[in-house]
Amino acid sequence: MANSVPVLVPLPLDAPFDYALPADLEVVPGDLVEVPFGPRQVIGAVWDAPSTRAAGAPVPAARLKPIQRRLDAPPLRPPLRRLIEHVAAVTLAPLGAALKLVLSVPAALEPPPPKVGLVSAEGAGATAGLSAARRKVLAALGDRRPRRPAEIARLAGVGAAVVQAMARAGLLVPLPLPERADDALLAEPSPVALSPAQAEAARALCDGLAGGPLAGGYGLTLIEGVPGAGKTEVYLEAVAATLAAGRQALILLPEIALTAQLLERFERHFGRPPAAWHSELGAAGRRRSWRRIALGQEPIVIGARSALFLPFPELGLIVVDEEHDASFKQEDGVPYHGRDLAVARARLEGCPAILVSATPALETAWRMGRIEGAAGSEGAGKTLLLPARHGGSALPDIRLIDLRRDRPPRGGWLAPSLRAALEATLAAGEQALLFLNRRGFAPLTLCRACGHRLRCPNCSAWLVTHRLRHRLVCHHCGYGRAELDHCPSCGTVDGLVACGPGVERLAEEVRGLWPAARVALLTSDQPAGPGAVAALLRAMRDHELDLLIGTQIIAKGHHFPALTLVGVVDGDLGLSGGDLRAAERQFQLLYQVAGRAGRAHPGRVLIQTHLPDHPVMQALAAGDKERFYAEELAERRDAGMPPFGRLAALIVSGRDLPAVRRFAALLAREAPAVPGVRVLGPAPAPLALLRGRYRQRLLVIAAPEIDLPALLRPWVKGRRLPGDLRLQVDVDPYSFL
DNA sequence: AGCACGCCGACT
DNA sequence: GTCGGCGTGCTC
C-alpha cells in the first residue's frame, strides 16, 4: 500500500483525488479504475502525477481510500488525456466534467458479457410427455448449434415464452455463441474515378500534409469547393492513405448530415461499413462501438461532434466535413466547439486535420489566409480549392425576387414569378425544391378580437402551430398543448388567426395550386419513424416526387439528379435578430440550398427577399463568395468582433428574476478591469425566459491577444451562487440565442 | 453530480 | 412532539 495515485472522476471537480494503490494492483496513467467516492463507487481514470503539488495540503496517506479494481479496458492514451485538460482549460469546465465527455458510455468500460446461445440438453431426444410446442423446439435444434433464444423461437414457430420456460426447465442449456468475425472486408472496395482536379487535390492532400498521413505529423488543410465539386472523394483518398498506414480515421459531420446515404457511400468505397457515432445510436450500439473503437477494431468512424472524445488507440486523421456548420458548437453542458477541438486533438495526436466546406466559416477562411487582403495567421495550413466538376459556373443561376414589388397574392407566400417558375418546372416533368427554414404551420397565432398572442408559458417565445399534429408547440423548451378553438385570454371562439408561413402551410398552398403534383414535406420532426426519412429522400432521388418542401435538413449533402429549381421562400429569415453571425450563416445556408439545384443539369435558384440590397443577397445573386467574405471580414474588423476580438457570454439564470438581476449586476461590478477588455451588460439574454428560468447576459469583448479563459477564471470560478441561480460561461459563443 | 448534515413548518 | 423541506458543503 505504498503509493498514492491521482484519480480523476467524471464529476464536476477541478482536480484528481488521491487514492491508495493496493499492493496487488498495478496501474498506469490513463487506466480506468473503480474507486470509492464518498458513499458510492465511481469509475474514474488514473491521472498523471502533478508536476507540482496543487495548492492545498495533500490528504494524509492514512486517510486515502484504496482503488478497488482496474477495469478491463485499454487505458486512455496521453493525447486524449491532454485533450480533456485542454477542454477544461478553454471552456472553464471542471476537469472531471471534461473527463465525463470521454466516459460517456460506462457500460463500455466492462467487457461485454459473453454471448450465450441455447442448445438442447443431452438426452433430450426423449420427447415423451412434451407439449407440441416444446417438441417443435427440439426438432428445430437438431444440429446442436447454439442459437439465440429469439432465433430459436422464430425457427420453431413458437413464442419466446416457450423457449424461456424450456431453458428454465433444463431442456435447453446455455452454450457460448461463436464471436462474429466481422473484421474482414465484407465487399470489394470500389475505387472511385477522380477527375484530374480531384486527383491533383488528393495528391496535394496526401503528399503535402506535414509529410502526408503516411508519415504522420500535424497539419491543417482546408478543402473548399462548390457543392458537387467532389470534396468527399478527395478526402476519402486521405482516409484510404490513413487506413493503409494502419491508423484510424475520424470523420466529423453535423448531426443532420449523418445520413444512411453517406454511410453507404463509405461502405461502397471501403468495402465495410464505417462505425457511426451519433445521438440516435442506442445503448447497445454505443457500448459495442465504443469498445471496438478503443480496441482498434474500427478503422473508420463517422460521427457527430461527440465522436471527438472516442478513445482511438492510434488516430491518424480527423476530417471535419461541413466545418462551417453551427451545430459543431455544443451549447449546453461543457460548451465546446467541435471544429476547434478537432484541430486541437489532431495537434495532440500528431495527425493531420482536414476541414471541408463549400462555404468555410469566416474564422476558418481568415485563419487559413483564404480571404483577399486579409493576413490570416501565418503557417496555419493550406487551402485546396476544388473547381466545379463540369467547368462553367460555380453555382446555378441565382436570382432574387423582390417581395416588395413581386407580391404573393393574399393568403399566399409564393410570389407570382416563383409560382410561374414552379408551374413551368412541374409542366416540364422536372423536380423542384422549396426551402423554408420554419417548422410547423405558422410561427405565431393571435386573437382577432383582443390581439392576444399565444405564448409559451415557460419561454419568451411564440407557440408554433403544428396543424398536422393538431398541437401548439414551443420550439425552445418542448412545451406542447392541443390546438385551441378559442382565445385563452378573451374567450372569443374561432377568432384565432395564424400569422406567417411554416412549411406545413406552404405545403397547403402548393397542394392547392398543383393538386396533381407529388409533394412531400421534410423537416427534422417530419416524417417520423426510422427509415421514413431515408425512404423519402430515396423517393426524391428516384423522381417519385415532383416537389419537396423542407427546412434546413434538406440543405446538406443530398443529391437529387432531376432537381432543376430551388425556391427560397424567405431569404431574410435568418437575417433578423442581432446575431453577430447572422449574415454569415444565412449566406452559408442559402449557398448550400442553392447547391442542391443543377448538380447534374443546369438549374436555377429563386430567392424571395424583402432586402434585395442586403450584402448576403447581393453576393448570392452575383455568385460572388469572395466579395461577401471580404466585406463581412471588414465589418468584423471595424467592430472588433471575431476573429479580430474574442467574446465570452456569461449567462445568469434562475426562476426569480430579481435575484437573477442582482447577481448579474454583482458580477458586472466585479468584472476585471483590464485594458483591451470590455464588459457589456447585464441585459436580458436573447431568450430572456427559457424553460421557466429568467436569463441575464454579460458579454465580454476582449482584444485578440488577451488570454480569455485566464481572464475569466478568477472572476467566475468557484463562485457561490445563491438559491437556484446558475452561471453559464460560454467562451467564444456561437449562437447568440 | 450525489448525498449527508442541518435548521424551520404541518402532521400522525 | 416528529417528518421533511431543500440550502450548503464534502467527496481522496
Side-chain angles (χ1 to χ4, degrees), chain A residues 518-596:
Chain A
R518 297 165 297 175
V519 177
L521 201 56
L522 181 62
T523 69
S524 55
D525 55 348
Q526 196 89 50
V533 171
L536 203 157
L537 290 171
R538 207 174 315 117
M540 183 68 184
R541 190 195 57 205
D542 298 343
H543 206 157
E544 287 156 18
L545 291 171
D546 301 309
L547 206 163
L548 183 62
I549 300 173
T551 56
Q552 60 178 316
I553 196 167
I554 61 172
K556 290 239 151 56
H558 313 300
H559 176 38
F560 307 123
L563 182 70
T564 56
L565 175 67
V566 167
V568 176
V569 176
D570 188 347
D572 312 331
L573 195 55
L575 293 173
S576 53
D579 195 313
L580 162 70
R581 280 174 249 258
E584 181 193 347
R585 261 209 308 263
Q586 190 69 356
F587 179 82
Q588 289 161 339
L589 182 58
L590 295 185
Y591 193 96
Q592 291 271 354
V593 173
R596 296 310 107 206

Side-chain angles (χ1 to χ4, degrees), chain A residues 108-172:
Chain A
L109 308 178
E110 308 277 6
K115 293 252 164 50
V116 183
L118 294 170
V119 293
S120 49
E122 291 298 334
T127 56
L130 285 182
S131 71
R134 291 185 172 200
R135 279 204 299 275
K136 272 198 277 181
V137 169
L138 292 184
L141 282 175
D143 59 359
R144 299 200 47 80
R145 206 159 57 79
R147 290 188 169 86
R148 340 185 91 209
E151 192 189 349
I152 296 172
R154 193 171 43 75
L155 274 172
V158 302
V162 175
V163 178
Q164 258 174 45
M166 289 178 72
R168 261 198 315 273
L171 290 163
L172 301 177

Side-chain angles (χ1 to χ4, degrees), chain A residues 625-714:
Chain A
K625 183 161 75 167
E626 302 304 319
R627 194 182 73 197
F628 175 75
Y629 275 66
E631 285 176 5
E632 184 70 14
L633 198 70
E635 258 183 55
R636 299 272 185 96
R637 188 190 309 252
D638 292 344
M641 286 287 149
F644 304 102
R646 292 190 71 188
L647 297 178
L650 313 189
I651 292 184
V652 181
S653 67
R655 283 175 197 283
D656 180 37
L657 180 56
V660 170
R661 290 184 129 133
R662 264 198 311 279
F663 186 77
L666 170 82
L667 210 52
R669 277 199 302 280
E670 295 177 0
V674 174
V677 177
R678 280 187 299 154
V679 178
L680 308 183
L687 270 162
L689 177 64
L690 179 65
R691 297 167 204 274
R693 298 173 67 85
Y694 293 93
R695 291 148 41 92
Q696 292 269 315
R697 186 182 71 182
L698 295 171
L699 208 51
V700 182
I701 307 172
E705 66 274 11
I706 303 259
D707 181 346
L708 199 46
L711 176 89
L712 297 172
R713 207 168 291 123

